[in-house]
Amino acid sequence: MFKQTTGAILLLIVLSLFFAQPSRAGGWTVVTLDELPQDVQASQPISIRFQVMQHGVHPLVLAPGETTVVAHHPASGERLTFTAQPDAEAGHYSVELLLPRNGRWSWEIRPGGFPSAGMPGLAVPGGPIQPAAPGP
């Protein structure tokens, strides 16, 4: 009886280790905009400044080039990536966006290897949506 119980317990332990998934404990950040962009115009630069806090507490300091902003124009399918630069303040970054066409843009901030932070959509006013450039 003891051998059967011990064998069953060992089998369960081995199976649980086999099916275990690696965890990403502590792999989250909080991204806070200094100010929501206002009066966005097509082909006019927009300065964005933001803070990235790891676990919502400690400033996350990433190397230049590790933090990006990705903007997507669903109507045309266009996707643009902008590289944010660290500011003098720890965990604080700035980036300049240049959205080339009017319409609704979705965008997110990607702080290094941490999960992306979706931002409120940007409405770029103007006439009819400009068509996307023809592909190759």
Side-chain angles (χ1 to χ4, degrees):
M1 175 78 172
F2 180 72
K3 283 185 175 182
Q4 289 177 340
T5 305
T6 304
I9 291 172
L10 286 175
L11 179 63
L12 286 173
I13 290 171
V14 169
L15 287 174
S16 68
L17 291 173
F18 181 72
F19 290 109
Q21 301 263 336
S23 69
R24 294 181 59 176
W28 60 276
T29 57
V30 174
V31 177
T32 307
L33 295 174
D34 287 3
E35 182 179 308
L36 193 61
Q38 302 292 321
D39 194 30
V40 180
Q41 300 294 320
S43 299
Q44 297 295 316
I46 312 162
S47 292
I48 308 283
R49 298 190 65 212
F50 56 94
Q51 178 83 36
V52 181
M53 302 291 276
Q54 188 171 13
H55 305 267
V57 178
H58 305 288
L60 180 62
V61 179
L62 295 166
E66 282 191 278
T67 304
T68 58
V69 175
V70 177
H72 179 243
H73 189 261
S76 69
E78 187 169 10
R79 186 175 300 275
L80 304 171
T81 301
F82 304 90
T83 303
Q85 297 301 318
D87 288 343
E89 184 184 342
H92 204 267
Y93 301 86
S94 59
V95 64
E96 197 165 276
L97 304 184
L98 187 67
L99 305 175
R101 65 184 78 253
N102 57 349
R104 189 95 176 137
W105 287 83
S106 61
W107 61 298
E108 63 186 22
I109 297 174
R110 296 180 177 177
F114 292 91
S116 299
M119 296 290 129
L122 296 173
V124 180
I129 295 174
Q130 301 169 11

